[in-house]
Amino acid sequence: MGCSHPDASAGGDDAGDDAGPAPLSFFEPSATVFVDGHTYDDYTRDCRVEMCRHNENTDMIAWNGALWLVHRTAISQTLGPNSALHVYQSTDNGGSFHETALLPAPSDRDIRDPCFYVVGGQLYLKALTRLTPPVDESNRDTGVDTVAIAMTSSDGVTWSAQQPIGPHGWSFWRIKESAGTYYTAAYQDGDLSVVLYSSTDGLTWTAGPLVYGVSADTPLETELTFMPSGKLLALVRMDGMDSELLGDEGRLRTKICWSDPPYSSFSCPAEFDGQRLDGPVSFFWHGRLFVVARKHLQGTGKKRTSLFEITGNLDGGPLSIGEWGQLPSAGDTSYAGVVPLDDTHVLLSWYSGDLQADPPWVLGMFDLTSIWLGPVDMSTLH
């Protein structure tokens, strides 16, 4: 499969691969730091009640006449109850956001990977809660006893208590709705397999078919996309062998899996060879399919957040992926959110480490990170 868009080189998008993070790509009118990790660079802060230095895991949604943003805050990427989610509202189409809620982790668990969804006019927020395992058991999410939880709100300000919505040991990724049913791809602790779960009320979930179960490929975060034809596309991140886990050497792969209604089985006939889509979020624009995910600069230990486009037969045939360019990003980065602004623009949220320091990912996970916001002019992508 192709790994770069045939027209993307005109924008100079790869300039930052070896020379530090690139300036704004041609499709970005602007990009700004929304939450600056430098402001909170203090290891003694109580992240359950105040902002901290490592901010990550964003998501956005348009609901109830406003735009909504959520992200995690903590001292670092490391699991622990000293963490929380911050929720914000924008009533001026993304021009500004104000905080509406701070949702702390359970007293004995970490909280991360939030995503919004809407059920019956109510705003729902999914997150993952995890234990902190002994260091020698933490590889590949082993021993974390993941439990997916949800909170609900009628105004985005007051939220219900956290309630479990998934079984122990399964991480729900992004939740998507189709024809009144909600779906999520859940990956098993230990990154052993991915299973499709479904729900009619957003709170009670039922395990369905296996999406992908080759444990040697280390399958985890799986983005679901419903095609106009009704087919369901599942893009499975695969971390591979131990030597490939950091993404700096070896294979970079994303498994391409398909299912037809009523989504009772999956086939996985192909993969993207050369791109491992970490923390992916997919979206359609004018019938074209885009993904924002982490890019791996192999041989450097560094990462970027990039805008990709998936092309080919979107009704279940062969697919290719190309990169349009990078967002301002370095260190620990990615896990974006996206909402439409108008017919030609979408707003992206993502997180990034310090652009000037540009640390390798393994250090960036313990370093400070900031939340970024920026529009994309989709009409430039031609």
Side-chain angles (χ1 to χ4, degrees), residues 157-182:
V157 178
T158 302
W159 291 82
S160 69
Q162 299 171 6
Q163 64 179 97
I165 58 174
H168 285 253
W170 290 88
S171 294
F172 284 16
W173 189 240
R174 208 174 310 277
I175 292 172
K176 301 288 184 75
E177 181 269 339
S178 179
T181 299
Y182 298 84

Side-chain angles (χ1 to χ4, degrees), residues 168-236:
H168 285 253
W170 290 88
S171 294
F172 284 16
W173 189 240
R174 208 174 310 277
I175 292 172
K176 301 288 184 75
E177 181 269 339
S178 179
T181 299
Y182 298 84
Y183 298 89
T184 187
Y187 60 96
Q188 187 179 8
D189 283 0
D191 303 342
L192 301 175
S193 64
V194 178
V195 167
L196 184 71
Y197 278 72
S198 63
S199 173
T200 57
D201 64 4
L203 296 176
T204 304
W205 292 80
T206 302
L210 179 72
V211 178
Y212 190 69
V214 181
S215 59
D217 284 334
T218 312
L220 58 164
E221 301 155 350
T222 297
E223 179 74 349
L224 299 178
T225 308
F226 288 93
M227 298 299 173
S229 66
K231 284 182 176 289
L232 175 56
L233 170 66
L235 298 174
V236 184

Side-chain angles (χ1 to χ4, degrees), residues 297-371:
L297 308 184
Q298 287 193 313
T300 70
K302 298 180 180 182
K303 314 293 180 184
R304 301 287 185 259
T305 295
S306 286
L307 174 65
F308 300 92
E309 183 175 2
I310 294 175
T311 56
N313 186 345
L314 298 182
D315 285 329
L319 299 178
S320 297
I321 188 168
E323 181 193 7
W324 278 107
Q326 302 170 13
L327 309 178
S329 51
D332 189 19
T333 184
S334 188
Y335 293 73
V338 57
V339 288
L341 293 177
D342 54 41
D343 189 55
T344 57
H345 294 81
V346 300
L347 180 64
L348 297 181
S349 61
W350 69 98
Y351 76 95
S352 171
D354 186 275
L355 299 189
Q356 296 303 314
D358 193 17
W361 185 39
V362 291
L363 297 180
M365 288 187 282
F366 302 96
D367 203 354
L368 58 85
T369 55
S370 301
I371 304 298

Side-chain angles (χ1 to χ4, degrees), residues 58-63 67-70 88 94 97 114-117 174 281 336-341 346-350 372-374:
T58 76
D59 193 39
M60 289 196 293
I61 196 171
W63 172 73
L67 303 183
W68 299 83
L69 165 69
V70 63
Y88 309 83
F97 284 83
C115 86
F116 290 117
Y117 57 113
R174 208 174 310 277
V281 58
V338 57
V339 288
L341 293 177
V346 300
L347 180 64
L348 297 181
S349 61
W350 69 98
W372 285 72
L373 291 170

